[in-house]
């Protein structure tokens, strides 16, 4: 197998049929799958059907799915067959890896079936990994289904990281649903991790909702971390005195230098709350300066 893999790049097309015949004789299912996937990268189109026939001889479902996934780039119609093979894989880790590998070549009309397969993975870690692997390729109309699938993950860490990956591709109209899911994470630590991951994708109109979610985190350190993740977007905060006060209070927990550095991010909200009154803004600035002078 390793010899075939090493020679694949340099093998002339007229010898590729012979290489496929050799691949068919490899006893190890894993090695046959590896060799076939590598040969596929350099194989003439007219031999793809022969390569597919070799892939179908692999007895192990996991290795057969891997081989079919390697061919899917060149034979798109193989994806449906590969999904059917993935369904027969018993190992949670192998099923997760097979789905992730196949995701790149999966047409939108098969993604719902793929998500249904993710749901059948009992091990939450591997369910999360499969969801992360699919996230980039889930069409917008199925993202709500993907978020619902993330909700089925009970492990806080696995759920948080699945949510973070999905957030990169969640349409704006579903971000509120993503924030609602983050709110259900019991641990303040993992809720803050989720918020940090979501932060850069939160649209302006949901910033108050995101900041309100920060306020639900009891631990000051975790709360500060979550707020830090939102810091760049804090310029869009609505003129809400409670959120403004909470933002300032939470910033102070991080220390004097951090507080001073991030004051400009709250400037738009501060000006808005002051109604643009220069006298009020002067008093606020003087109060901040006095506090910072006495702050070690």
């Amino acid at each position: 197998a390793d010899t075939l893999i090493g020679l694949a790049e340099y093998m002339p097309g007229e010898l590729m049929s012979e290489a496929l015949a050799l691949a068919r004789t490899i006893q190890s299912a894993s090695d046959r799958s590896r060799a076939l996937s590598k040969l596929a990268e350099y194989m003439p189109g007219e031999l793809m059907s022969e390569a597919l026939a070799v892939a179908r001889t692999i007895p192990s479902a996991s290795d057969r799915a891997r081989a079919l996934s390697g061919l899917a780039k060149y034979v798109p119609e193989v994806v449906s067959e590969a999904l059917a093979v993935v369904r027969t894989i018993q190992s949670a880790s192998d099923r997760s890896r097979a789905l992730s590998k196949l995701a790149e070549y999966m047409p939108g009309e098969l993604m719902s079936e793929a998500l249904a397969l993710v749901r059948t993975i009992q091990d939450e870690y591997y369910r999360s990994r499969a969801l992360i692997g699919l996230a980039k390729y889930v069409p917008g109309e199925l993202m709500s289904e993907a978020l619902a699938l993330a909700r089925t993950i009970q492990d806080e860490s696995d759920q948080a990281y699945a949510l973070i990956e999905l957030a990169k591709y969640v349409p704006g109209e579903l971000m509120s649903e993503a924030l609602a899911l983050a709110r259900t994470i019991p641990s303040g630590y993992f809720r803050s991790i989720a918020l940090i991951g979501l932060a850069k994708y939160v649209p302006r109109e949901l910033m108050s909702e995101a900041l309100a979610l920060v306020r639900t985190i009891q631990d000051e350190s975790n709360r500060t971390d979550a707020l830090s993740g939102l810091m760049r977007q804090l310029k869009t905060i609505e003129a809400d005195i409670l959120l403004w006060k909470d933002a300032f209070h939470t910033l102070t927990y991080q220390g004097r230098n951090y507080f001073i550095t991030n004051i400009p991010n709250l400037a738009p909200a501060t000006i808005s709350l002051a109604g643009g009154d220069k006298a009020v803004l002067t008093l606020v600035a003087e109060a901040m300066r006095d506090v910072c002078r006495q702050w070690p």
Side-chain angles (χ1 to χ4, degrees):
D2 289 335
T3 301
L4 275 177
I5 290 170
L7 291 173
E9 183 178 355
Y10 310 101
M11 194 172 297
E14 60 269 21
L15 292 180
M16 194 59 76
S17 183
E18 185 177 342
L20 280 173
L22 284 172
R24 188 188 288 270
T25 67
I26 297 173
Q27 295 301 306
S28 164
S30 174
D31 287 344
R32 196 186 311 172
S33 175
R34 288 193 306 113
L36 189 58
S37 295
K38 190 64 178 179
L39 288 171
E41 296 179 23
Y42 307 99
M43 194 175 299
E46 61 270 18
L47 290 179
M48 281 299 170
S49 59
E50 189 175 335
L52 183 56
V54 174
R56 287 169 176 158
T57 68
I58 298 174
S60 160
S62 298
D63 294 312
R64 186 159 74 254
R66 188 179 304 122
L68 289 171
S69 297
L71 292 171
K73 180 178 180 179
Y74 313 101
V75 191
E77 57 270 25
V78 165
V79 175
S80 182
E81 179 180 347
L83 266 181
V85 174
V86 171
R87 188 180 295 277
T88 69
I89 296 174
Q90 298 302 309
S91 163
S93 60
D94 288 349
R95 182 178 293 191
S96 175
R97 279 193 290 268
L99 281 169
S100 297
K101 185 173 177 61
L102 197 57
E104 183 178 355
Y105 312 110
M106 196 175 301
E109 62 269 19
L110 289 179
M111 188 55 72
S112 184
E113 183 180 343
L115 289 173
L117 278 176
V118 173
R119 189 179 290 272
T120 66
I121 298 174
Q122 297 301 309
D123 185 294
E124 291 195 340
Y125 172 76
Y126 289 113
R127 194 188 316 158
S128 169
R129 299 310 301 174
L131 192 54
I132 288 171
L134 290 176
K136 182 178 179 180
Y137 307 100
V138 175
E141 63 270 19
L142 290 179
M143 192 54 74
S144 185
E145 185 177 336
L147 285 171
L149 185 51
R151 193 180 290 275
T152 69
I153 299 171
Q154 299 300 308
D155 181 89
E156 295 171 279
S157 172
D158 293 337
Q159 186 181 64
Y161 287 109
L163 179 57
I164 288 169
E165 189 64 24
L166 287 171
K168 298 176 184 178
Y169 313 103
V170 166
E173 64 270 17
L174 289 180
M175 187 53 71
S176 183
E177 188 176 334
L179 287 170
L181 178 54
R183 184 183 288 272
T184 67
I185 298 175
S187 161
Y189 173 73
F190 285 113
R191 198 183 313 159
S192 71
I193 291 291
L195 268 172
I196 291 168
L198 291 172
K200 65 187 295 185
Y201 308 106
V202 176
R204 175 187 175 89
E205 62 270 18
L206 292 179
M207 186 53 61
S208 291
E209 186 177 334
L211 283 169
L213 184 51
V214 171
R215 294 174 65 190
T216 68
I217 300 172
Q218 299 301 311
D219 181 85
E220 287 281 6
S221 177
N222 293 333
R223 195 177 180 194
T224 301
D225 288 342
L227 183 61
S228 299
L230 290 168
M231 195 54 62
R232 290 182 181 178
Q233 277 88 330
L234 278 177
K235 293 180 180 179
T236 68
I237 187 175
E238 301 296 332
D240 184 319
I241 187 64
L242 292 178
L243 289 176
W244 182 84
K245 287 172 62 178
D246 191 66
F248 266 100
H249 172 72
T250 308
L251 281 175
T252 61
Y253 186 78
Q254 195 72 359
R256 180 177 183 273
N257 290 338
Y258 187 86
F259 176 79
I260 293 173
T261 300
N262 284 285
I263 283 176
N265 289 312
L266 289 173
T270 304
I271 294 170
S272 178
L273 287 167
D277 189 315
K278 290 185 178 180
V280 173
L281 289 171
T282 299
L283 289 173
V284 172
E286 288 177 351
M288 289 184 193
R289 184 177 57 194
D290 289 343
V291 169
C292 289
R293 280 175 176 170
Q294 300 175 51
W295 198 346

